[in-house]
Amino acid sequence: MPQPQPPGAPERDLASEAYLRQLKKTFEQLPNDIPLLLFTDKGGNDLFAQATRQVIRAFRELSPRISLKEYGLDHELARRYQVTSSPTLLVAPDRYSIRWLGAPMGEEARTLLETFMLVGLGQSNLNEQSRKVLRRIDSARQVKVFVSATCPYCPQQAVNGVKAAIELPEHVSLEIIDIQSETELADRYSAHSVPMAFANEVLIGHGAQAEEVFMLSLQKLEAQTIFIPESDAEEVEADLVIVGGGPAGLTAGIYAVRSGLRTAIIERQALGGQVATTPVVENYPGFTSVGGKTLVDIMVSHALQYVQIFQGEGVLDIAHGNPIVVQTSRRKFMTKAILLATGANHRHLNVPGESRLAGRGVSYCSTCDGPLFKGKKVLMVGGGNSAVTEALYLHHMGVKVTLVHRRDTLRAQEFLARRLSETGIPVRWNTEIREIRGEDRVREVLLVDNRSNQTSVFATDGVFIAVGYEPAVELAGKLGLELNADGYIPHDGRHRTRLPGVYSAGDVEGGYKQIVTAAGQGAEAAMTIFADLINPYWLKETTGAAASGA
Ligand code: NAP
């Protein structure tokens, strides 16, 4: 008699007797039963119900651990399990909330096989990092993964859902939905390109995600693209610690590790610095136009191939000695060199109402808050590249934006200035904001024409501020580094500061402040550090300060 073959499994494997014997043996060793409940309509004679039955029959030939009971949609168990569509397959409903809507045919038989294995084992087989993330979930997650029989990427995403449902049965329920048999449901979720995963009605993943990325998306209820592993180490020894995970720090990390330096990047906030909130970047070579966050994700993924990133920990203290000791909110780093790539923070207008109404109409991030102002009236303050780029972004999103600039010419590049005038965005020249008003949220601003000194009131729903950045020099202060007249960290042209083993790169040094220049400075600094650690200039120089400007 020919051996049964789970439909959809790769033919070359299933054709092999040895493979089936191995499968049977594996199933025999599973400690738990795998009870299945199949719900069908009208005698279950439709194509998808028959296909489901056929697939299960093939699997049941492999193991007596798999049992099947079938009911109609009008059965009392259908009501109990809230089953309304045919066919619906519940897997071990006494222990987990895992169900298939539609037939698990084709590629989906691979998901079914893995599900039976995990349910039989009674384990999710999640890796440690994924488990840690998932364990942070403390409320219900209703997961829907849309799949199709012909999609080779779908099993990976569906199995992510299965693993989450097995690891955290008290919170995670899963529906795997075949879009060919559940066309209406697929239409309702616009799931026409699979796999597509939703949790609590929020899209958490489009395409197959790595296990850790799926779990993070599920935890945060927001699609994530990158997972940064966490470390429990209380002390880390390094050749180089980089403070700051923007373009300068990330590039330095890549260069340093490739030179052989044991390197760690510490970033207290979001990776990417200012770039992460830039709507669109059009002058980074290789990308004619790319979203700032997308560019950051690409840089971070690249950096993670080399360097460990400690995100979410702020540096509390630095002791300059041998080694240099960096104390963060989570651990201590002992390092031979430190690179300050701390970037810059938003400059404020410092006018009445600004801080009180921050987050209530006053914003420093158009990519973050812009969508909230669709169809509404806002002011964009500033005349540099940021203000113009962001005004264009808001305009294209349907926000009624007016630019307010304190002079009669823009500081922004000609290309951007031309685009601004082409779009017809109104500009209030020679105008400054004197006060931002509103009780609970921004309602109006008091403007002043700085030539005539005339004031006027402008009704607005929001004020976006892009008036430049202040260098983040707090750590330089802790180290006792003096700043130059403009408030930046002085260096010797090769990114060495006045202190041996302490370097700087990126916007914290001043200069052009472009993504590409920051990346270049990061690379230069890493190469200087590598050369210095092999051949320390501070042991050769007796004259003290290395930094000409220091
Ligand atoms: P920026 O170039 O320093 O421009 C700041 C703008 O805000 C200037 O127009 C300035 O007016 C105005 N301003 C400053 N303080 C003000 C105040 N208290 N009240 C009213 N207006 C004030 O800053 P940015 O536009 O944020 O750019 C920062 C750096 O990033 C720049 O080097 C820029 O080139 C770079 N960047 C590049 C891109 C790109 O290439 N795609 C995009 C964004 C930013 P004045 O002109 O009168 O000084």
Side-chain angles (χ1 to χ4, degrees):
M1 208 177 109
Q3 289 287 346
Q5 297 184 4
E11 235 168 59
R12 61 174 192 283
D13 288 336
L14 292 174
S16 136
E17 297 263 321
Y19 174 71
L20 284 173
R21 267 202 305 278
Q22 183 58 45
L23 259 187
K24 272 189 158 181
K25 215 164 149 192
T26 311
F27 268 106
E28 271 164 27
Q29 288 160 2
L30 297 177
N32 299 309
D33 286 337
I34 307 159
L36 306 176
L37 302 192
L38 177 63
F39 292 87
T40 57
D41 200 10
K42 297 179 194 123
N45 287 324
D46 69 274
L47 195 70
F48 294 113
Q50 286 181 26
T52 306
R53 231 175 265 124
Q54 194 189 337
V55 174
I56 293 169
R57 197 178 307 127
F59 277 113
R60 289 187 66 205
E61 297 277 345
L62 289 172
S63 169
R65 283 247 178 249
I66 303 172
S67 63
L68 175 69
K69 287 189 177 149
E70 192 171 335
Y71 303 95
L73 283 187
D74 51 0
H75 193 272
E76 115 78 17
L77 278 179
R79 271 189 299 283
R80 190 193 310 167
Y81 288 115
Q82 298 179 340
V83 175
T84 53
S85 93
S86 169
T88 296
L89 179 70
L90 308 191
V91 182
D94 52 330
R95 282 166 279 159
Y96 308 112
S97 179
I98 300 174
R99 65 179 61 186
W100 254 266
L101 271 63
M105 299 182 294
E107 295 288 344
E108 278 314 297
R110 289 203 276 135
T111 310
L112 201 58
L113 174 61
E114 181 124 9
T115 305
F116 290 166
M117 292 282 186
L118 296 174
V119 167
L121 266 176
Q123 286 174 17
S124 68
N125 274 1
L126 280 176
N127 67 43
E128 210 32 59
Q129 291 286 352
S130 300
R131 187 169 289 133
K132 254 191 200 172
V133 172
L134 204 67
R135 290 269 152 206
R136 286 193 211 126
I137 294 177
D138 58 6
S139 58
R141 295 288 189 277
Q142 281 128 14
V143 181
K144 287 185 169 60
V145 182
F146 288 89
V147 298
S148 88
T150 50
C151 157
Y153 312 103
C154 288
Q156 181 183 330
Q157 190 72 331
V159 167
N160 282 337
V162 171
K163 288 180 172 180
I166 291 177
E167 179 67 29
L168 217 56
E170 66 276 29
H171 292 314
V172 180
S173 61
L174 170 70
E175 289 176 326
I176 299 174
I177 302 159
D178 171 46
I179 60 167
Q180 274 130 355
S181 32
E182 290 288 337
T183 47
E184 255 178 51
L185 197 54
D187 279 346
R188 210 183 314 147
Y189 283 82
S190 300
H192 300 129
S193 155
V194 288
M196 214 181 237
F198 294 82
N200 300 4
E201 309 299 309
V202 174
L203 179 67
I204 59 162
H206 188 190
Q209 292 169 301
E211 184 186 290
E212 301 88 340
V213 177
F214 177 89
M215 301 308 154
L216 193 63
S217 307
L218 183 59
Q219 186 234 327
K220 294 190 173 238
L221 286 178
E222 188 184 39
Q224 305 291 309
T225 47
I226 283 174
F227 176 81
I228 297 172
E230 288 183 4
S231 163
D232 291 330
E234 285 181 9
E235 289 194 356
V236 177
E237 264 188 51
D239 296 317
L240 170 62
V241 164
I242 298 167
V243 188
L250 294 170
T251 312
I254 295 170
Y255 271 74
V257 175
R258 287 175 62 89
S259 303
L261 300 182
R262 292 169 304 158
T263 305
I265 296 178
I266 303 171
E267 169 58 62
R268 70 175 165 183
Q269 289 174 333
L271 290 161
Q274 296 158 43
V275 190
T277 55
T278 301
V280 61
V281 176
E282 296 177 328
N283 54 7
Y284 192 78
F287 297 89
T288 46
S289 177
V290 61
K293 178 70 171 69
T294 305
L295 184 58
V296 167
D297 283 350
I298 294 168
M299 284 185 183
V300 172
S301 310
H302 187 179
L304 277 172
Q305 292 187 13
Y306 295 97
V307 58
Q308 189 166 7
I309 300 177
F310 297 81
Q311 197 197 353
E313 29 195 302
V315 174
L316 303 177
D317 215 352
I318 306 181
H320 185 250
N322 188 13
I324 298 168
V325 180
V326 181
Q327 179 67 54
T328 72
S329 42
R330 297 220 189 129
R331 72 201 94 228
K332 193 188 272 182
F333 293 80
M334 267 82 64
T335 180
K336 294 175 185 160
I338 183 164
L339 174 64
L340 302 176
T342 42
N345 301 318
H346 296 290
R347 185 178 288 148
H348 292 223
L349 287 174
N350 294 319
V351 295
E354 182 182 10
S355 58
R356 184 174 56 82
L357 292 166
R360 297 166 181 189
V362 172
S363 170
Y364 301 86
C365 177
S366 59
T367 43
C368 321
D369 304 328
L372 304 172
F373 291 86
K374 232 178 192 172
K376 295 188 176 169
K377 238 171 101 175
V378 307
L379 291 180
M380 169 63 69
V381 191
N385 284 332
S386 300
V388 176
T389 305
E390 295 186 23
L392 288 165
Y393 171 75
L394 291 173
H395 171 82
H396 290 306
M397 171 185 289
V399 180
K400 293 174 196 150
V401 59
T402 299
L403 191 80
V404 175
H405 182 35
R406 66 182 178 185
R407 290 187 299 124
D408 61 0
T409 47
L410 293 171
R411 184 179 290 272
Q413 290 161 358
E414 172 59 25
F415 182 78
L416 288 170
R418 212 171 37 240
R419 263 217 227 139
L420 184 80
S421 78
E422 281 164 10
T423 51
I425 293 172
V427 183
R428 301 282 290 251
W429 301 105
N430 303 298
T431 303
E432 292 173 37
I433 291 195
R434 191 158 274 180
E435 187 182 350
I436 304 173
R437 296 169 173 170
E439 286 271 304
D440 51 340
R441 63 179 181 82
V442 171
R443 307 270 175 188
E444 61 182 36
V445 293
L446 181 65
L447 299 176
V448 59
D449 181 318
N450 56 24
R451 286 170 310 178
S452 64
N453 243 347
Q454 265 201 335
T455 56
S456 58
V457 172
F458 188 96
T460 185
D461 300 302
V463 180
F464 284 80
I465 299 168
V467 294
Y469 294 87
E470 308 281 2
V473 288
E474 193 193 321
L475 295 181
K478 278 190 196 295
L479 282 163
L481 285 173
E482 278 168 27
L483 305 177
N484 65 23
D486 296 324
Y488 296 99
I489 300 177
H491 65 102
D492 70 344
R494 293 188 63 192
H495 309 283
R496 297 172 178 135
T497 72
R498 185 178 60 80
L499 289 172
V502 181
Y503 301 79
S504 60
D507 285 6
V508 78
E509 290 184 332
Y512 289 110
K513 298 186 212 129
Q514 302 294 301
I515 306 168
V516 71
T517 53
Q521 287 158 5
E524 282 179 356
M527 288 190 279
T528 302
I529 293 164
F530 173 68
D532 286 350
L533 289 183
I534 288 178
N535 198 3
Y537 68 87
W538 50 87
L539 297 184
K540 288 185 286 174
E541 289 177 4
T542 50
T543 48
S548 59

